[in-house]
Amino acid sequence: MDRLRIRGGKPLHGEIPISGAKNAALPLMAAGLLSAEGLTLDNVPDLADIASMSQLLGVLGATIESKPDPSGRGRQLLIRADRFTSFEAPYDIVRKMRASVLVLGPLVARGGQARVSLPGGCAIGNRPVDLHLMALEEMGAEILLEAGYIEARAPKGLKGARVAFPMVSVGATENALMAAALADGETVLLNAAREPEIIDLAACLTAMGAKIEGAGTDTIRVRGVTSLHHARHTVIADRIETGTFAIAAALTGGDVELVGADLEHIAAAAAILEDAGVSLTPTARGFRVARANGRLEGVDVMTEPYPGFPTDLQAQFMALMTTAKGAAMVTETIFENRFMHVPELARMGANINVHGASAMIRGVERLKGAPVMATDLRASVSLVLAGLAAEGETLVNRIYHLDRGYERVEAKLGACGADIIREPGG
Ligand code: EPZ
C-alpha cells in the first residue's frame, strides 16, 4: 500500500483546482439507474470510490462510458441503464464503500425490487441504515433483513408518502428523494438534510424530468412521474476538499487561491476560520486563503448537519488548532468514533485530551514529523496537513483511504511548493 513522505515547514503558495464533489457524484451516479435513457455527468472526480460505484452499477447491468470531461475538469461519465441484469448490490462492493446503499431507492423505484448488502459499521461509527429503510417502507416497500442483506420489494411500484425523519440523514434523504421521483403521487420529506449535495441531486433529477420543490430546506416535496429522461449535469465543486486545502494554506502560513471553489458552501467553516485569524477573499475564480497575521487563535467548534460546521472537516480543523494560540474545544455530534486522528496527531507533538464527544486542544508552538497512519479518509488527510506544517519528516502510511476521496492530492499540494512524494510500501 502506498504512503506519502512529507518534509514539512514549507508554506503553500499558488493555486489549487477544486475537483467535483465525491459526495455529490456518488448519489448522482446512483440516480443514473432511474432512467432508461441514460445520464451524462460532467466534472466527476477520478477517485477510488467513483470506480467502486461504477463497478456496482455495472453489476446491476448499467454500462458506463468514462472519458475526460470536455471542459478539462475531471471525467465525464455516460451512465446507461436500459435494463437491469441483477438487483443485487453484493457484500464485496458494499463493504468497500457504504455509499453503495444509495442504489437501494433507485432499484426499488424503477425495478420493483432490490437486494443490498447491509453496510455494517465502519471506522467512524456504527452507521445504521434504518432511516433509508423507514422511508422506503412509508412508500409501500416491503423490507426484510436476511443473511446480512436488505431485501426490498414493491412489485406494484412505490406510493407517495409523508416521511418524517427523526434525525437528519444525508444518505436517507437522497435514497428517499430518488425513490419518490418515480413513486405514484406526492411524497413529502420532513426534517430532510439540506446539504449542497442534496440540492445538486435534486437539480439533476429535475433536469431528468422529476418534479421536486424545497431541496435545500428541511421540507422537500416530490410529485412522482412515470419515467425520467436523459439529462446532462455538472457535479458541484467539492466543499470538503475546498475546506481541506483552505486549512492547509492556513496551517502552513501560505497564500493559495482555490480555483472553482464555492465559498458559500463552506460558510460555517469559513466563519470559524476567520475567527481563528484566517483571511478568505473571494476572487473571480473562487477564493484566496491566507493567514491574516501571525499565529492563529484557538476557536471552539461543534459539528452539525448543514448549514453547520461539517463533520467531514473536523479532523482537518483539529490539525489546524494544534498550533493555534490558547485552547480549542472540538465537539463531534454526528459520528460516535471520529477521533482516530487524535493519537496520531499526539505522536506528532499535539496536546489533545478527549472527553467523550469533545476534544480539548492546547496549541503548541510546532508539530514534529513522525510516521503516522489513519483508518478513515478525513483522519488521513488531517495527518497530511499536520505533516505539511511539522518540523522534519512525516510518513503517512496506508493512504488508500486518501485515494478514496482526494484526487491527485500530492500533485495538487506539490504544485504549491509542498515537499510531498508518494512511494510504495507502508
Ligand atoms: C454522508 O454520509 C457523507 N457520505 C459522509 O461523508 C458525511 O460524513 C455524512 O454524510 C455527514 O455529513 C456521503 O455523502 C457518501 P448520514 P451518510 O446518514 O449519508 C445516523 C466522507 O468522509 N444515521 O447523514 O452515511 C448516522 O449513523 C463521508 O466523505 C442513522 O442513525 O451520513 C450518523 O450518526 C464519511 N440511521 C448520522 O445519522 C440512518 O439510517 C448522519 O449520517 C442513517 C444515518
Side-chain angles (χ1 to χ4, degrees):
M1 235 177 273
D2 290 358
R3 62 188 180 190
L4 290 176
R5 187 181 293 275
I6 304 167
R7 286 187 201 90
K10 303 218 165 41
L12 300 182
H13 283 280
E15 57 181 68
I16 300 183
I18 298 302
S19 297
K22 164 181 84 84
N23 289 348
L26 292 171
L28 288 167
M29 289 174 74
L33 296 175
L34 287 167
S35 165
E37 291 182 22
L39 173 64
T40 305
L41 296 174
D42 291 307
N43 197 29
V44 177
D46 196 2
L47 298 169
D49 272 9
I50 299 296
S52 299
M53 185 58 100
S54 296
Q55 188 195 354
L56 175 55
L57 298 186
V59 166
L60 302 173
T63 58
I64 291 121
E65 225 177 89
S66 169
K67 54 184 181 190
D69 185 316
S71 73
R73 298 180 303 158
R75 312 282 307 168
Q76 181 186 66
L77 300 187
L78 170 58
I79 301 165
R80 283 196 172 280
D82 311 351
R83 61 192 180 94
F84 298 121
T85 52
S86 162
F87 293 90
E88 180 171 318
Y91 173 69
D92 264 358
I93 300 180
V94 180
R95 96 187 142 78
K96 273 198 284 180
M97 187 189 59
R98 290 183 51 90
S100 306
V101 78
L102 294 172
V103 301
L104 181 63
L107 281 177
V108 180
R110 186 163 151 231
Q113 55 173 306
R115 188 165 190 268
V116 175
S117 171
L118 274 166
C122 73
I124 62 176
N126 187 23
R127 302 184 76 183
V129 290
D130 55 320
L131 303 177
H132 301 238
L133 306 187
M134 180 200 91
L136 289 174
E137 275 180 331
E138 300 278 6
M139 288 187 233
E142 281 169 26
I143 294 185
L144 284 176
L145 298 182
E146 224 167 63
Y149 275 78
I150 303 160
E151 312 247 8
R153 278 181 186 281
K156 295 196 188 119
L158 294 171
K159 293 208 166 16
R162 186 177 172 281
V163 180
F165 291 109
M167 66 188 282
V168 178
S169 161
V170 176
T173 303
E174 290 165 344
N175 243 332
L177 189 56
M178 290 187 280
L182 288 183
D184 180 20
E186 189 184 66
T187 298
V188 184
L189 306 178
L190 299 161
N191 200 21
R194 292 178 281 167
E195 270 69 1
E197 292 77 15
I198 305 282
I199 302 178
D200 203 34
L201 175 61
C204 177
L205 292 171
T206 303
M208 295 167 78
K211 307 282 177 223
I212 301 171
E213 274 170 34
T217 75
D218 62 4
T219 306
I220 306 180
R221 286 174 194 278
V222 187
R223 265 186 297 127
V225 294
T226 48
S227 66
L228 295 174
H229 52 70
H230 174 264
R232 183 169 172 187
H233 178 82
T234 301
V235 179
I236 53 170
D238 195 315
R239 65 193 168 96
I240 305 302
E241 189 195 25
T242 300
T244 302
F245 288 133
I247 290 173
L251 191 58
T252 59
D255 185 341
V256 172
E257 184 180 13
L258 301 179
V259 177
D262 189 335
L263 194 48
E264 254 179 55
H265 286 172
I266 58 155
I272 296 279
L273 290 175
E274 282 176 334
D275 286 351
V278 180
S279 91
L280 303 158
T281 323
T283 63
R285 303 188 299 170
F287 66 91
R288 261 183 68 191
V289 50
R291 237 188 244 176
N293 35 27
R295 209 167 151 199
L296 298 175
E297 302 283 340
V299 181
D300 295 346
V301 88
M302 184 187 281
T303 63
E304 281 169 318
Y306 195 84
F309 188 96
T311 172
D312 290 347
L313 282 177
Q314 179 258 109
Q316 302 89 313
F317 183 75
M318 197 183 293
L320 182 68
M321 290 293 99
T322 57
T323 55
K325 267 189 272 177
M329 174 90 93
V330 172
T331 304
E332 172 59 54
T333 73
I334 309 290
F335 293 112
E336 65 267 28
N337 185 30
R338 214 174 193 186
F339 283 150
M340 274 97 55
H341 40 289
V342 169
E344 300 299 301
L345 289 171
R347 298 183 61 245
M348 298 178 72
N351 178 349
I352 307 174
N353 282 297
V354 175
H355 302 279
S358 293
M360 172 65 86
I361 303 112
R362 291 189 176 81
V364 295
E365 278 290 326
R366 194 115 218 195
L367 295 176
K368 295 214 162 48
V372 289
M373 175 170 99
T375 45
D376 89 297
L377 168 59
R378 310 302 171 186
S380 303
V381 84
S382 77
L383 301 175
V384 173
L385 302 189
L388 292 175
E391 208 172 82
E393 189 172 273
T394 296
L395 266 182
V396 184
N397 290 298
R398 297 181 64 127
I399 54 166
Y400 99 97
H401 289 288
L402 263 181
D403 294 334
R404 294 183 50 190
Y406 289 92
E407 198 176 35
R408 301 183 298 113
V409 68
E410 70 277 20
K412 288 188 182 189
L413 291 167
C416 289
D419 185 343
I420 176 169
I421 51 167
R422 177 184 290 256
E423 51 186 49

